[in-house]
Amino acid sequence: MAEVLVIDDDDMVRTMLLRTLARGGHTATGARDGAEGVAAFREKPADLVITDIFMPNQEGLATIMELRRSFPHIRIIAISGGGARASLDVLPVAEALGAQKTLRKPFTPAEVMDAVRDVLGS
């Protein structure tokens, strides 16, 4: 199974994703923001990154761009509920920057696992 890095500032969402991925047989680690996530990826590259868009310190679009620049073949799923900017739909921008798949919060564990299978090709 795959190594997955989950980047999300919401502890509940991050924990749910980590548990869902572990139940699906994947090894998953978490980071609280994009800067922490990029550092974790550089230290131990993952097969897949799942990143939130709206986070403090370094948001998801900048994270996608930085990862894509340094690791052009990285697989990325972008997630967003819009946060305080719920009317702002940035998921198409995330795809344009290199996310292979996007998920809008709230999503189900089954939707997460379907997206992971699609992106990993398994």
Side-chain angles (χ1 to χ4, degrees), residues 15-49:
T15 299
M16 182 277 288
L17 288 168
L18 294 172
R19 287 182 181 158
T20 298
L21 292 161
R23 281 190 214 113
H26 301 287
T27 303
T29 56
R32 289 188 169 92
D33 62 48
E36 186 179 306
V38 170
F41 189 89
R42 288 185 189 285
E43 186 175 310
K44 183 181 177 197
D47 300 306
L48 170 66
V49 172

Side-chain angles (χ1 to χ4, degrees), residues 49-78:
V49 172
I50 299 175
T51 184
D52 190 20
I53 298 298
F54 296 110
M55 299 178 287
N57 300 324
Q58 181 174 315
E59 51 86 28
L61 297 178
T63 300
I64 292 168
M65 289 188 300
E66 184 174 347
L67 288 171
R68 181 68 60 209
R69 213 175 10 254
S70 298
F71 308 95
H73 301 294
I74 189 171
R75 296 176 189 131
I76 301 171
I77 297 173

